[in-house]
Amino acid sequence: MGIEAWLTLGIVILVFAALVKNAAPPDLLFLGATALLAALGIITPAEAFAGFSNSGMLTVAVLFVVAAGLRETGILDSIGHHILGRAKTPNSVLGRMAAVVIPMSAFLNNTPIVAMFVPVVIDWSRRNQVSPSKLLIPLSFLAILGGTCTLIGTSTNLVVNGLMIQNSLPGMHLFEIGMVGVPYAIVGAAYLEYRRAAGHEQN
């Protein structure tokens, strides 16, 4: 490998080590690494700033703003408490979460949805003497499953769509991956319920 390849590999290793040690916020680390690569001449300034003009990344940023607005106004929190407040068993909680988290994560970023439901699930678990891990792990998986249903479900989908357009490939429409994603989400939710029920019987 040439010197540029070794420098790039070294920077990647340093960023990974900093992430493991939580030395700085991830966004600052990645921006710093990009700036360093540009300063060393490994990438051009145009390449360094190319991501900021990617339509997929801009859409991700907008979705974060929308989700943050819903969270700060209390709408997401109200929905979470309203949904789980009347549930009596872990099975009913999992079913209610699947019915709400999957559709929500199909159109909003997964992170604020999971962050909103975590305290609600923990509160319900404590009141009903149920281990929170039995519901928190399925919550994460449900959000991931929902993200596979639409183009804007996850930032990964949007970034890939932007790269497709940049390389003269036809972009995906909103529900194109839903033909696979929706059945996949249904099967995944059913499997989570099956595993939770099986674990309950063993206990």
Side-chain angles (χ1 to χ4, degrees), residues 105-116:
S105 61
F107 296 97
L108 294 172
N109 189 273
N110 295 349
T111 303
I113 295 175
V114 173
M116 177 270 297

Side-chain angles (χ1 to χ4, degrees), residues 25-196:
D27 51 352
L28 183 61
L29 290 173
F30 287 119
L31 285 174
T34 302
L36 182 57
L37 289 170
L40 293 173
I42 297 174
I43 59 175
T44 65
E47 291 172 334
F49 289 100
F52 294 101
S53 62
N54 184 285
S55 59
M57 292 303 299
L58 294 175
T59 306
V60 172
V62 172
L63 289 175
F64 266 109
V65 173
V66 172
L70 292 174
R71 184 183 67 250
E72 293 300 325
T73 55
I75 294 177
L76 292 180
D77 189 60
S78 177
I79 291 174
H81 282 285
H82 179 73
I83 292 168
L84 301 189
R86 300 177 182 177
K88 301 299 181 182
T89 65
N91 283 340
S92 61
V93 170
L94 186 56
R96 288 167 182 254
M97 284 197 307
V100 176
V101 172
I102 289 177
M104 289 178 66
S105 61
F107 296 97
L108 294 172
N109 189 273
N110 295 349
T111 303
I113 295 175
V114 173
M116 177 270 297
F117 267 96
V118 164
V120 179
V121 170
I122 292 177
D123 180 62
W124 184 93
S125 299
R126 288 174 177 171
R127 286 187 287 106
N128 292 271
Q129 298 181 344
V130 175
S131 175
S133 63
K134 294 183 178 180
L135 295 173
L136 291 177
I137 294 176
L139 169 62
S140 176
F141 289 154
L142 289 172
I144 294 172
L145 291 170
T148 64
C149 296
T150 67
L151 174 62
I152 61 175
T154 67
S155 56
T156 307
N157 299 345
L158 290 165
V159 171
V160 170
N161 184 65
L163 292 174
M164 291 172 62
I165 295 174
Q166 287 181 6
N167 288 276
S168 303
L169 296 172
M172 296 181 287
H173 59 75
L174 182 61
F175 297 104
E176 182 172 343
I177 62 176
M179 293 183 291
V180 175
V182 172
Y184 163 75
I186 293 173
V187 172
Y191 177 75
L192 288 174
E193 173 59 28
Y194 166 76
R195 292 297 300 173
R196 203 219 65 78

